[in-house]
Amino acid sequence: MKHELRLIDSTGHTTISWDPEIESEVATARSAFNDAIGRGMQAFHIKSGGQQGKRMTEFDPAAEKMVLIPQLRGG
Amino acid sequence: MFVVTTSDTVTLSARDVPIAPPTEAEAAERTRLAREREEVRKAAQERAKHLLLEHLTDEQRATFERNGWFVVEGGRSKKQYRISANSYAGNVHELEGDRPIATYCGHVEHNYPVHDNALAQKLLLENDEDAFIKLANRRAA
């Protein structure tokens, strides 16, 4: 089963998926994750059914679902 | 009388330069581009709405579909926060029972679809509540 990370962006979001058994796909996903974190995005490991997840600071290829959000600012 | 040589610079104001109205082709192109931008914007909004719905519990989804808002629990404090998913700013309310007691304003930039904003607020409140409270402006409801 493919694992997914969703990067929130102006198109809604961009999805990057990987098979944790395929190193090249893991590398692509890791690179996208690190690039997003470097740009200030925040990553969360998501559990199914809308349940509370967990903040991530490092890419975990075993995590089945992640969402990366942009910075929020006070309004 | 004045003499204008080739080295002189004459500055004209905007009022002095007549602006030709767009041709029919130019106007049609502008309309086409505007329509295209609107389609892209709507597609992004739909994608964002579906992504938000994927990350709501059954109860949150029900209130979102019915009222345009949903309630999340703060990860640290266990306080209840109501997120109105149809606006960017001042859309998070701290609840005491059903009664809003404070309004928080903390959001993503407006170039992101509005439902992405709601999802971002939900994730931050549930997983790093202190970070949201620190960045958001708070006022009494």
Side-chain angles (χ1 to χ4, degrees), chain B residues 45-78:
Chain B
Q45 294 282 19
E46 272 305 301
R47 281 170 62 76
K49 185 177 175 183
H50 282 290
L51 186 68
L52 173 64
L53 286 170
E54 270 184 47
H55 292 87
L56 299 182
T57 63
D58 290 343
E59 187 179 349
Q60 289 168 339
R61 196 175 300 119
T63 56
F64 170 73
E65 300 276 18
R66 196 166 53 239
N67 308 313
W69 52 258
F70 55 91
V71 175
V72 302
E73 183 178 272
R76 180 190 55 78
S77 70
K78 309 305 175 192

Side-chain angles (χ1 to χ4, degrees), chain B residues 84-95:
Chain B
S84 296
N86 297 320
S87 61
Y88 288 91
N91 66 314
V92 178
H93 296 95
E94 180 184 336
L95 301 178

